[in-house]
Every structure is written in C-alpha cells, then in structure tokens.
Amino acid sequence: MSQSIGTLWTVPYQLEGKRIRALAALSGLELDIGEGYTHFETNRTPEFEAKFPSGKIPSFEGKDGLKLFESIAISRYIASLVPKAGLLGKTPKETALIDQWVAFATNDIGSHSSTVLLLTRGYLKPYVKALDTESRNRLLRGLGTIEKHLSTRTFFVGERITLADITVASVLIRAFQLIFDPETRKSHPNVVRFFETIINQPKLKDIFGEVEYIDKQAQYVPPKKE
Amino acid sequence: MSIGTLYTTPAQPQGQRIRAIAAFGGLQIDVAQDYVHNETNRTDAYKAKFASGKIPAFEDKEGFTLFESSAISRYVASLAPNSTLLGSSAHETALIDQWSAYAEHEVMAYAYVSLGLCRGSLTPYNKPIDQTYRDKHTRSIGVLEKHLSTRTFLVGHRITLADITLASILKVSFTYFIDPQARASHPNLVRYFETIVNQPKFKDIFGPIEYAEKALQYVPPPKPAKEAKPAAPPAAKEEKPKAKPKKEEEDDDDEPLVPEEPKAKNPLDALPKSTFNLEDWKRAYSNLDTRGKGGSIEWFYEKFDKEGFSIWRVDFKYNDELTQVFMSSNQIGGFFNRLEASRKYLFGSMGVLGKANDSVISGVFILRGPDAQPVVDVAPDWESYTYKKLDLENDADKAYFEAALAWDLEFDGKAWADGKNFK
C-alpha cells in the first residue's frame, strides 16, 4: 500500500520540483510525481486551474485533499510534516532564519538567474544587454552575501541540514549553469563547497543529478538571420 | 513592551506590512528613528547585523536579527498571542504561505520591474519588457479577482498574514498600475483591498490610498530648455534621474541597493545661483501670517528672484471626477508625496475649492528655474494637472497667487474648502 503523502505536479528539469522532492526524501516521505503532465497544456486545462488557480507548477495535491501551489509554500508544508527531521530548525528563531535564507535565495539569487536565463535563451524578448548585465551584477551581489555567510558555516542555520540549505542549493543549480565559470568558482569557494556538500548527500544525489561546471558564462546568441 | 526594532522607511510597503501585522497582533514594534536610507544600511555595523544590507530588517531586544520581509512578517505574526494570523490548522497555514508567496512573486515582483523601468532605477526603459511584466501582473490580478469573487479573505473566514501581505503589495499595484478601467473590471479585488486596508487596527499605517488615474507611463527625459539663457542647463539633461520620488518602495529586499550607481547630475543644480532661498521662504511661510504687514507675502515680494524661480498656477484636469472633499485633499497629498524628489526645488500651496461632487483642485507652485516640467515630472501623475506660468506684474495673477498662499482663493463661486502645502 502506497504511503505517499500526495502528488507533485512538476517537470523533471524544474529546480523547484527537485527541491520539494529532496525535502520529502530527507523526511522519509514518499511523494508521487504526477503522470501525463505536459507543460503549457495540462496546466492550462480548466481541471488543473480549478485545483491550482495560479495555473503553474510546482503544484501539490495531498492525499488528505490539500491543494497547494507556490514552491515556497509546498516546501515549507512538506518540511513541517516530520519535525524530527529538523528541516524547519529547532527553535522559532531558527525557523525564522530558515525563512530568511529561503526568501533571500529566491529574491536575490533565483530571480536574477531566472532573468539571465530567460534573456540569454530568448524567452524574454527583446534581448536587452543592460538588463542581462544588471541581473548578473545583482546575482553576484547575492552570491557574495552567501559566500560570506558560508565562510564560517557548513549549513545556513544551525548545525544540520535544513529547508534553507535545500532551497539555496536548488536555486544555485541555475547559477552554476549560467554564471559559475572558473573565475566565479574561484572567488566563491565556500559557495562551491556548500553546493557540492548538499547535492552529493546520499539521499539527494539522484534528485539533484549531475551539475556540470561551465567553462564560460552563458551568453546570448542572436538567432541566425535567414 | 516592544518586541524589537524595525529598520524601514515610512513609505516602504514591506515595512508597512510588518507594522500592520504587529498592530493586528497586538504587538508593539519600534521603528528605528535614526535610520537614513542608503547611508545607515551601507555601514559595516549594519551589514554585520543584516547580511543583505537591505530593509526591512528586524532586531529584537536580545540581539536576534532578521532580514527579508516575508521572514520578518511570519516571525512577528508567530509572536502574537492568540492570533489567527497564521491560521488554525496545518492546511490553513500552508494556504496562507501559498497566497503570501503568490503576492510576492506573482504580483509584487512584476510590478517592481515595471516600476524600476519607468523610473530608470533598473535599466534604461524598454517598452516590450515593461509590457511583458505588466501582462504577467495583469494575469495575476485576474487570478486574485476570481479567487476573491466568492471570498472575503484569502484563507478561511478571518484576516490572516496572507491578507495583510497581499494588501500591502496591492497598494503599489493600485497606486501605479490598476487604472479606473481595470478597477471596474476587478470589483472583488477592489472590494477586498478596501476591506483590508481600512481595518481600524492598521488603517493609519497604510494611510490614504491614491488610486491611479492612469497606469504609470514612462516619460522620457525632457528636451533641453527653449530659452537661450547663457547658463542654461547643458545636454546633461538626458542624464537627469527619472522619477525617484518614492525610491524606498523599491529599495526593499527585492530590489538590491546599487552602491556604485553614479549620481546623475540634476540640471536644476546647474542653474546660476539665485538670491532667493526656497528654504528660507518655506520657513517664513510657516512662521509668519500670510497676508498683512510683516506677513510672508510681504517677505516674498522683498526677496523673490524672478530670474531664478518661477510661479505657476496648477489646476487638476479632471475635476468632474472629484467627489468628497477629503478624498480630493488626499489626492493632493498623494501628488505631493510623489513630488518628494523635487523637494529642494519646489514649494506648493494647493487646495480643494467648492463642495462634494462640485469642486476643483487648484493652487500655486513656486519652483526653481523657468519651466515647470523639469521639477514636477518626477511625479508620474504630473500630466493630470495643467501648469500656467503666472506674472506678478499682472493684477489677476498676483491676486490669484496671494489667495492660494493664504488659502482663501475663490473663483467660479467655489470657495477654498481644504488645502495642502508642499514644503
């Protein structure tokens, strides 16, 4: 009999989906991945939108009927299900600090690397170099902040892995794909060490998968003219 | 007993959110009085406490420090005894987290990109990108409209953290992007917003709401002045920083500070020195009677330099839209708030004349330089008003000017009902 806590709607490459799956794995919880999901099709059906008004993924449907969207909310909910896994910290203040780093990762790292991705891949048009440059600068500032924080720590909050570490690591995957060229890796040794520690945790290795290190930062390549 | 100190600025929406949460939860939170934005937060001492170097930031009495508005909001809400802010079940809490996150990532994030582009604080303006983010914002507003069509509150039957979060964010949306047409097509959102921001426990924190008369438009920098004055502002006018009235609204934990940003020169500072000191005038106006011997009008005529400054009659263009006098008065207040960046260059005395549903907004500005636009276009809604240069040699202009200063202006059978000063 399946002990699954519910179904997660995501796609394999979605970083937020990996994050949620990692949290479930660390808590010893089983999570089903919704089958037959086709992005931009399934999530635009009335059935999907009736369950998840935002029409976006990741979305979670618990066995007990809870329907949730927004990766931060799903993550926090999953992390709260098994308190002894310690993913939300041991005290209210630790929990608050976890929330802080989750928000920082999302707002100061994730949002800027998303903008760089969207621009360089041509999903956000037109390509505006100033916006790409500004986003990379802001991303580097965010990375600088966590580099400093991690220079004296193994984990973001307390002495063990929490929601904060999983969130930051999942957000960093994109930064590693776009920005972490040899020079950036060299100037952020603690971020690299942290990242490798988290994604290579035995329970998480398969979820996060291999992250290839890049030789140079992602660049926009204009479409070839006919 | 205060729970701690919040570092923010009065206008910062995230700061208002946290203060409202504290107020609703019956908690006292102090706001750091000596915080100076872009100064205090750039010090090593501040960054040692708050690694992000941003606001809002929170410190309790035991030295526990926290940044990121969603984290502070949630922590403050958790301290409120017997509060329903975080829901009464694990499911409710999860849904509160969901809508709070939606408000931040699917409403505020998009609005801030458009705001940053229009103000030139993000990157030079790009219309398709602005439009892309406005479309995303519009979509999210539609999702909320639908959700709220059958609900009073986002989650359950009471105000929660999600409502206060969303309301603080919608205030920005309603001030800049949701125009009268969009308000008409999102009646549930408007009803919901009004319900939340008017809650007695935190109404004063959110303050009067200035609903957008039209969606924020990008206004390109003005062309160089027409007059051939020898020391007219040079072509550096293009570098004039665009519309930075309420920069605090952007310098939150979503918009990192840009410490190395070079300060663009304001061409108004390049004008030849004037003998008329605007700050002295503001003091005289405040401290002296307006009319009569020894009054501020008398002071003004002695000191005024009509080469360095100009006087303008300012009229609202859409007076038939005005309803209650206090709301029109609030509108002037909102306009003045948005002129904040030009404080050094501007004095204003404006009022509501007439009565409910039969009124006009009119007044005078004293401003630096020969043209109004360079001073007033820091406010996105400056074009909702007409500007007519006044000539103090002309009796009618002079009488109008004095009456607007004295708050006894009257015309077309409409008497001055309420006024505001920009000083």
Side-chain angles (χ1 to χ4, degrees):
Chain A
M1 193 173 74
S2 170
Q3 297 295 325
S4 161
I5 57 164
T7 303
L8 179 68
W9 299 94
T10 183
V11 291
Y13 54 82
Q14 190 179 37
L15 301 179
E16 292 83 353
K18 291 184 197 239
R19 178 197 314 177
I20 294 163
R21 288 158 56 204
L23 293 164
L26 286 174
S27 300
L29 296 170
E30 203 180 306
L31 191 60
D32 294 327
I33 303 299
E35 292 191 8
Y37 178 85
T38 307
H39 199 46
F40 292 131
E41 283 182 26
T42 313
N43 58 310
R44 302 243 161 114
T45 61
E47 295 77 30
F48 192 91
E49 284 185 356
K51 284 198 281 196
F52 309 113
S54 70
K56 296 196 172 188
I57 52 168
S59 288
F60 172 74
E61 189 168 1
K63 281 268 154 83
D64 56 6
L66 174 67
K67 295 178 190 50
L68 218 49
F69 53 90
E70 289 296 328
S71 52
I72 285 188
I74 300 169
S75 297
R76 217 183 187 283
Y77 176 70
I78 303 248
S80 74
L81 292 176
V82 182
K84 73 172 174 21
L87 291 170
L88 285 176
K90 299 195 295 260
T91 66
K93 288 185 179 174
E94 278 200 346
T95 308
L97 289 169
I98 289 166
D99 286 336
Q100 168 191 285
W101 288 112
V102 165
F104 186 82
T106 307
N107 300 332
D108 283 67
I109 299 176
S111 71
H112 303 309
S113 57
S114 283
T115 305
V116 173
L117 180 79
L118 294 173
L119 283 170
T120 52
R121 299 251 178 105
Y123 296 131
L124 176 61
K125 297 182 180 39
Y127 178 75
V128 175
K129 188 155 173 65
L131 183 58
D132 185 358
T133 305
E134 181 61 28
S135 299
R136 288 178 204 237
N137 287 341
R138 292 183 183 202
L139 170 56
L140 283 165
R141 263 197 292 271
L143 292 172
T145 300
I146 64 170
E147 170 66 19
K148 193 163 175 196
H149 184 76
L150 292 167
S151 64
T152 52
R153 290 175 180 85
T154 309
F155 302 109
F156 267 85
V157 180
E159 307 304 325
R160 53 197 289 195
I161 213 173
T162 65
L163 170 62
D165 303 297
I166 301 301
T167 303
V168 177
S170 68
V171 165
L172 281 175
I173 293 174
R174 179 138 300 131
F176 270 89
Q177 288 167 342
L178 300 172
I179 293 289
F180 268 92
D181 58 7
E183 194 190 306
T184 312
R185 292 199 294 276
K186 189 150 177 244
S187 56
H188 296 80
N190 295 295
V191 174
V192 176
R193 183 254 313 146
F194 163 81
F195 181 66
E196 291 186 346
T197 304
I198 303 300
I199 67 169
N200 286 308
Q201 296 272 307
K203 288 183 186 169
L204 309 183
K205 235 176 129 68
D206 289 337
I207 294 171
F208 283 124
E210 290 293 325
V211 177
E212 271 187 38
Y213 285 166
I214 54 177
D215 290 326
K216 61 180 211 139
Q217 294 196 359
Q219 298 298 331
Y220 173 68
V221 179
K224 283 187 171 37
K225 290 204 181 336
E226 298 300 298
Chain B
M1 241 294 270
S2 165
I3 57 168
T5 303
L6 183 66
Y7 294 85
T8 183
T9 57
Q12 192 187 28
Q14 291 84 345
Q16 292 180 351
R17 180 199 317 177
I18 294 162
R19 287 157 55 205
I21 289 164
F24 190 81
L27 297 167
Q28 190 194 331
I29 191 167
D30 298 326
V31 176
Q33 290 304 305
D34 52 0
Y35 177 80
V36 178
H37 195 49
N38 286 333
E39 281 182 29
T40 313
N41 56 308
R42 290 183 188 174
T43 61
D44 289 339
Y46 188 91
K47 287 189 217 177
K49 281 197 279 198
F50 310 112
S52 68
K54 295 190 192 182
I55 51 168
F58 171 75
E59 182 173 7
D60 79 2
K61 300 269 151 125
E62 281 117 40
F64 171 65
T65 59
L66 209 52
F67 54 90
E68 290 296 331
S69 49
S70 55
I72 301 170
S73 296
R74 218 182 185 289
Y75 181 67
V76 170
S78 76
L79 294 178
N82 308 317
S83 156
T84 51
L85 283 169
L86 288 172
S88 42
S89 69
H91 280 201
E92 275 202 344
T93 307
L95 291 167
I96 289 166
D97 286 336
Q98 168 190 283
W99 288 112
S100 300
Y102 190 82
E104 290 206 326
H105 304 129
E106 300 288 336
V107 181
M108 183 171 80
Y110 303 146
Y112 273 36
V113 173
S114 291
L115 210 53
L117 287 172
C118 287
R119 288 178 173 172
S121 58
L122 178 56
T123 58
Y125 184 72
N126 183 281
K127 193 164 171 60
I129 297 211
D130 181 9
Q131 192 57 52
T132 297
Y133 282 94
R134 288 193 198 222
D135 291 343
K136 289 178 196 264
H137 178 266
T138 299
R139 181 177 168 211
S140 300
I141 298 299
V143 167
L144 290 166
E145 169 69 16
K146 194 167 173 193
H147 182 74
L148 293 166
S149 64
T150 51
R151 289 175 180 84
T152 310
F153 303 109
L154 282 169
V155 180
H157 303 288
R158 286 178 290 213
I159 282 196
T160 64
L161 173 64
D163 300 300
I164 300 179
T165 300
L166 179 59
S168 68
I169 286 166
L170 284 175
K171 189 178 162 191
V172 177
S173 300
F174 277 113
T175 303
Y176 293 104
F177 297 109
I178 304 178
D179 65 11
Q181 200 177 359
R183 289 201 292 279
S185 58
H186 294 77
N188 295 296
L189 193 68
V190 175
R191 181 256 312 149
Y192 165 82
F193 178 66
E194 287 278 315
T195 302
I196 307 301
V197 293
N198 283 305
Q199 292 288 309
K201 286 187 182 167
F202 48 70
K203 198 183 151 82
D204 289 339
I205 292 172
F206 286 122
I209 307 300
E210 293 299 321
Y211 287 101
E213 288 127 28
K214 61 177 197 172
L216 182 65
Q217 297 300 323
Y218 173 68
V219 180
K223 296 200 184 353
K226 288 194 276 272
E227 274 110 270
K229 279 203 175 294
K237 253 197 159 88
E238 297 91 64
E239 291 156 40
K240 177 174 143 58
K242 205 81 255 326
K244 278 188 207 267
K246 290 224 157 268
K247 198 163 201 301
E248 299 93 4
E249 285 174 9
E250 299 164 44
D251 285 340
D252 56 7
D253 41 331
D254 255 58
E255 290 290 304
L257 307 163
V258 189
E260 284 78 41
E261 181 189 287
K263 267 191 147 11
K265 288 200 192 327
N266 190 325
L268 293 166
D269 293 328
L271 292 172
K273 265 182 142 23
S274 168
T275 51
F276 182 70
N277 183 305
L278 193 65
E279 296 312 305
D280 287 348
W281 157 248
K282 290 177 180 179
R283 260 189 295 278
Y285 180 77
S286 300
N287 295 337
L288 306 171
D289 287 341
T290 310
R291 291 191 184 280
K293 194 156 173 45
S296 59
I297 289 179
E298 186 186 277
W299 186 101
F300 182 85
Y301 290 138
E302 276 168 30
K303 307 271 197 213
F304 187 60
D305 162 30
K306 68 179 172 66
E307 304 303 322
F309 286 78
S310 50
I311 303 177
W312 298 77
R313 170 175 171 159
V314 183
D315 293 281
F316 183 54
K317 286 181 184 170
Y318 313 111
N319 289 311
D320 47 319
E321 284 178 3
L322 299 178
T323 57
Q324 301 301 316
V325 168
F326 80 89
M327 292 168 75
S328 307
S329 199
N330 283 347
Q331 179 182 307
I332 300 173
F335 180 42
F336 282 178
N337 282 344
R338 292 185 282 281
L339 288 165
E340 178 61 33
S342 284
R343 179 167 290 271
K344 278 199 320 182
Y345 314 112
L346 178 66
F347 167 88
S349 184
M350 289 188 66
V352 185
L353 283 65
K355 55 190 204 306
N357 301 304
D358 181 22
S359 55
V360 298
I361 288 178
S362 190
V364 292
F365 281 177
I366 301 168
L367 50 86
R368 188 74 170 98
D371 293 312
Q373 185 176 340
V375 176
V376 304
D377 71 359
V378 294
D381 53 332
W382 73 279
E383 287 177 305
S384 297
Y385 299 83
T386 58
Y387 305 87
K388 174 175 167 281
K389 200 163 183 176
L390 295 180
D391 173 10
L392 293 177
E393 308 294 315
N394 173 296
D395 286 342
D397 283 0
K398 187 163 183 272
Y400 178 90
F401 172 66
E402 292 182 6
L405 289 180
W407 286 25
D408 53 30
L409 179 64
E410 198 174 316
F411 59 84
D412 294 343
K414 293 184 175 55
W416 189 282
D418 189 20
K420 285 217 176 345
N421 287 121
F422 181 94
K423 50 182 178 114

